[in-house]
Each structure stands twice: as structure tokens, then as C-alpha cells.
């Protein structure tokens, strides 16, 4: 029986009613957008769905669609860790629009999905593989973050990255992706 796979994100568990409460994580069936039960399992998903683990889905595991992406954006924080508080913004419908807040920070306003954390590099690479999307600006911003971390948080940089090399090349070389 062919299953209708329409959501851009599925989770292994359901958002609860309380703050960061998660439910039903042992259920083999996925939830669309963390809320709506399906009869879809992880094995039913096509290969363009990437497994992620992120704070934005309350640290559950989930799967995001990496095909059909129209635009991507990336924002990063000047903090002592790599990717934890950085976000990748994904639009499946239109080019992303930005707005600058009252403190001068750029924010994306018309995204369909955002993800933070260590899976950002994997998401960019999967989008390059499965979508016809230009990721050059995202890659430039990720490189800026790597350089900033190297120059301002050398101990954390040595622990998280180590070598002074493009993070995409380095992650592939180390077998992280």
C-alpha cells in the first residue's frame, strides 16, 4: 500500500501540552509536524528525508524533506559553541525575505521550517543533492562562523573542529557526513 507522504517534517514522537513535553516516542509511527499522527514509519520515507535531532523539535528525532527547497538562509550567534544556537531557515514556496530587528539582527520572516544545531551541515549538503537551490550564501555565513569561533574561542574550536579547514570538507573527511 502506497502511503501519502506530504509533510516537510515528521517526528519520532508528539509534542505534549506542557513546555518541552514530548509523548509517544516509542510509537513506530511518525507525527507530521510533531502533532498529527500518521501511519508512516521512518522506513516509508524516501531518501530525500534527512534524520535530524534539534532543539526546535524539543530534542526529538525527526525527518525533514530536503527536496523541493526553494531558498535557504542561515543565522549564527557569536557564542562559544558551534551550531548550537545557529539556525538554518528553509522555504519550500518562495525566496526568503529578511527583516532587521530593532537591535540590528537579521531575521527571516517567511520560512517554512527552521532547524538549529549540529545537523546544519548535513541539511545543506542534502539540499544541494536533492534540491536545485543555491547554498553559496549559506556556505559563506557558515564559514564566517567557523572563522569567528577559531579566532575568538580557540579552545572550543580545537575541541569541536580542530583543523583550520572548510567545515564541509573537514566534516566529510572525518566521516561525520
Amino acid at each position: 500500500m502506497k502511503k501519502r507522504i506530504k509533510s516537510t517534517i515528521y517526528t519520532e514522537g508528539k509534542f505534549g501540552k506542557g513546555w518541552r513535553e514530548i509523548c509517544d516516542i516509542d510509537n513506530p509511527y511518525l507525527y507530521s509536524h510533531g502533532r498529527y499522527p500518521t501511519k508512516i514509519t521512518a522506513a516509508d520515507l524516501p531518501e530525500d528525508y534527512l534524520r535530524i535531532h534539534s532543539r526546535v523539535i524539543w530534542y526529538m528525532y525527526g525527518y525533514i524533506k530536503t527536496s523541493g527547497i526553494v531558498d535557504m538562509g542561515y543565522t549564527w550567534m557569536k557564542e562559544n559553541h558551534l551550531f548550537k544556537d545557529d539556525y538554518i531557515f528553509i522555504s519550500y514556496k518562495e525566496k526568503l525575505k529578511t527583516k532587521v530587528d530593532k537591535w540590528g539582527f537579521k531575521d527571516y520572516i517567511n520560512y517554512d521550517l527552521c532547524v538549529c544545531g549540529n545537523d546544519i551541515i548535513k541539511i545543506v549538503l542534502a539540499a544541494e543533492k536533492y534540491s536545485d537551490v543555491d547554498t553559496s550564501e549559506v556556505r559563506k555565513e557558515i564559514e564566517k562562523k567557523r572563522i569567528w569561533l577559531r579566532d575568538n574561542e580557540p579552545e572550543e574550536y580545537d575541541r569541536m573542529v580542530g583543523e583550520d579547514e572548510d567545515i564541509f570538507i573537514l566534516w566529510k573527511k572525518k566521516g561525520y557526513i
Side-chain angles (χ1 to χ4, degrees):
M1 177 169 138
K2 185 173 174 154
K3 299 191 179 184
R4 291 183 9 197
I5 298 171
K6 296 178 124 189
S7 184
T8 55
I9 184 166
Y10 292 97
T11 59
E12 295 178 1
K14 179 181 180 181
F15 296 139
K17 295 185 189 220
W19 173 248
R20 295 214 180 184
E21 177 187 9
I22 56 175
C23 312
D24 208 17
I25 56 173
D26 295 323
N27 182 347
Y29 296 109
L30 303 175
Y31 284 85
S32 173
H33 294 275
R35 288 185 168 72
Y36 309 105
T38 72
K39 292 294 182 187
I40 298 167
T41 67
D44 297 324
L45 296 174
E47 70 178 41
D48 63 323
Y49 277 80
L50 178 68
R51 189 171 195 235
I52 65 163
H53 189 247
S54 177
R55 186 175 67 239
V56 298
I57 54 172
W58 301 344
Y59 295 109
M60 287 186 284
Y61 283 95
Y63 300 84
I64 64 167
K65 183 178 180 182
T66 60
S67 64
I69 295 173
V70 173
D71 200 11
M72 297 176 83
Y74 173 74
T75 59
W76 56 279
M77 301 295 288
K78 293 180 177 178
E79 295 196 356
N80 67 341
H81 45 260
L82 187 65
F83 302 132
K84 180 181 171 201
D85 293 321
D86 300 353
Y87 288 86
I88 188 104
F89 295 84
I90 299 169
S91 174
Y92 296 96
K93 298 177 194 133
E94 61 187 336
K95 286 288 196 189
L96 290 170
K97 296 176 185 146
T98 59
K99 155 180 127 170
V100 176
D101 68 17
K102 64 183 178 181
W103 296 282
F105 293 105
K106 178 174 74 171
D107 198 12
Y108 293 97
I109 56 175
N110 63 324
Y111 60 91
D112 296 305
L113 184 64
C114 75
V115 177
C116 64
N118 290 329
D119 290 322
I120 287 174
I121 300 291
K122 291 179 185 176
I123 292 167
V124 172
L125 291 171
E128 290 172 352
K129 181 176 180 180
Y130 295 109
S131 292
D132 184 25
V133 61
D134 179 8
T135 62
S136 59
E137 288 302 313
V138 169
R139 280 178 171 257
K140 283 181 196 171
E141 288 300 310
I142 289 171
E143 180 65 2
K144 284 182 193 176
K145 169 64 182 264
R146 183 190 71 79
I147 299 294
W148 183 91
L149 192 69
R150 180 199 67 196
D151 295 347
N152 294 278
E153 299 288 345
E155 289 177 15
E156 178 68 7
Y157 185 86
D158 286 343
R159 189 177 75 74
M160 291 297 299
V161 183
E163 300 171 44
D164 190 13
E165 188 173 7
D166 176 280
I167 199 110
F168 289 90
I169 294 167
L170 189 58
W171 256 225
K172 286 179 184 176
K173 191 164 67 174
K174 290 185 174 189
Y176 297 161
I177 46 177

